[in-house]
Amino acid sequence: MSAATAAVEGKIGKKLKKVLKKIVAEDANEQLAVADSLLGKVIKDKFNLTCVHNTAISELMRCIRTQTNNLITEVSERENTAMSLGLAHGLSRYKLKFSGDKIDTMIIQAVSLLDDLDKELNNYIMRCREWYGWHFPELGSVVQDHAAYVKTVKKLGMRTASITMDLSDVLPADLEQRVKDAAQISMGTEISDEDIRHITGLCDQIIEMQDYRSQLFEYLRNRMAAIAPNLTVLLGELVGARLISHAGSLMSLAKHPASTIQILGAEKALFRALKKKHDTPKYGLIYHAQLISQSSQKIKGKVSGVGVTARNS
């Protein structure tokens, strides 16, 4: 297992090093066929031994792997299969556990789920407003906040119940009175108890999704603060996470030049501008960062360039 992991990382294990020393001592002028060009480069640098890696060598290695049972007669085919399977599983676990490229996978998944939740919540809330609006259309204009609207609908039920209903735990006093006044003169249609039951069920789903979204955002904030603190301070948790997701990984984002990061998320607009020979976009996802969105229109482009240049400072 240790020899396999060393070979994957392009390093020379102890047993391989011992074999190579023997080869150098006996056949110093021979060429060595290697399956991995990275490992071949390390061997060449360390032992000054010429290594060959091409399609013919790859085909040779494939033939050797298929004929392993015939070449190693001391081990039965069943034992060889079991050892190969165990080595493959162990190597996969090692790569997943220690790969530096995987530390940002949780951020990418979390911000993608957060965006999906926002879309679903928006659809659900619009459906709730439209559905309950047939019964109490005036409520939508009185209560603008989505979360307060959903909680009001859930607690209110039939609009006729508003006269005796205490809404002080979901609405401020002035809005509560306006809701009660609007309910008495509402032009909405009458609906059944079964209709209300389904509407309040939808409200329960929305409230549950909003609570989970809050937990997910807190999780994303903690992850970003631990993995990309500079990016988080400069651009914020959401914008930073979206940039990482768009680039594919934190490592890929760090390798991008500032000019590329500045327009990440605006690729379609960039290619359209290049095709029609118009002005290219100055910013993409980074536009939503507080540092840039609150700047004056004249200096937004300059601020976005400075922001992405200072991301690793």
Side-chain angles (χ1 to χ4, degrees), residues 192-247:
S192 65
D193 293 336
E194 186 178 2
D195 296 329
I196 285 294
R197 186 167 66 251
H198 284 289
I199 293 173
T200 53
L202 176 60
C203 293
D204 289 333
Q205 292 291 324
I206 294 172
I207 293 171
E208 185 177 348
M209 289 176 67
Q210 287 175 333
D211 292 340
Y212 176 66
R213 188 200 178 280
S214 300
Q215 297 173 15
L216 184 64
F217 179 74
E218 187 63 28
Y219 164 78
L220 180 63
R221 175 185 293 172
N222 295 334
R223 277 282 183 174
M224 284 294 294
I227 295 174
N230 292 350
L231 190 64
T232 302
V233 172
L234 192 62
L235 301 178
E237 301 87 2
L238 282 178
V239 176
R242 288 190 179 113
L243 285 173
I244 293 173
S245 177
H246 200 82

Side-chain angles (χ1 to χ4, degrees), residues 1-2 4-5 8 80-98:
M1 180 64 191
S2 60
T5 53
V8 168
N80 189 32
T81 303
M83 286 190 296
S84 300
L85 186 62
L87 179 61
H89 287 174
L91 189 58
S92 298
R93 284 194 296 269
Y94 176 85
K95 291 173 70 175
L96 287 173
K97 184 176 181 181
F98 294 103

Side-chain angles (χ1 to χ4, degrees), residues 9 28 59 94 110 119 121 134 164 181 192 196 254 258 270 291:
E9 294 175 355
E59 185 67 19
Y94 176 85
K119 293 176 183 177
L121 274 171
W134 285 97
T164 58
D181 294 341
S192 65
I196 285 294
L270 173 64
L291 177 69

Side-chain angles (χ1 to χ4, degrees), residues 34-80:
V34 294
D36 185 11
S37 58
L38 179 61
L39 183 61
K41 185 176 182 302
V42 175
I43 294 173
K44 183 179 179 180
D45 294 340
K46 192 169 185 64
F47 295 97
N48 196 23
L49 189 64
T50 303
C51 296
V52 181
H53 173 73
N54 51 39
T55 54
I57 297 299
S58 299
E59 185 67 19
L60 175 62
M61 295 296 179
R62 188 186 68 82
C63 293
I64 292 174
R65 284 196 297 270
T66 56
Q67 298 296 324
T68 302
N69 294 326
N70 297 328
L71 295 173
I72 306 176
T73 57
E74 293 82 1
V75 182
S76 65
E77 182 176 353
R78 185 175 180 180
E79 291 174 337
N80 189 32

Side-chain angles (χ1 to χ4, degrees), residues 7 15 20 28 50 56 60 79 90 126 151 156 168 173 189 205 271 305:
K15 293 184 178 180
L20 289 173
T50 303
L60 175 62
E79 291 174 337
M126 291 302 104
K151 292 178 181 178
L156 191 60
S168 58
T189 184
Q205 292 291 324
F271 293 130

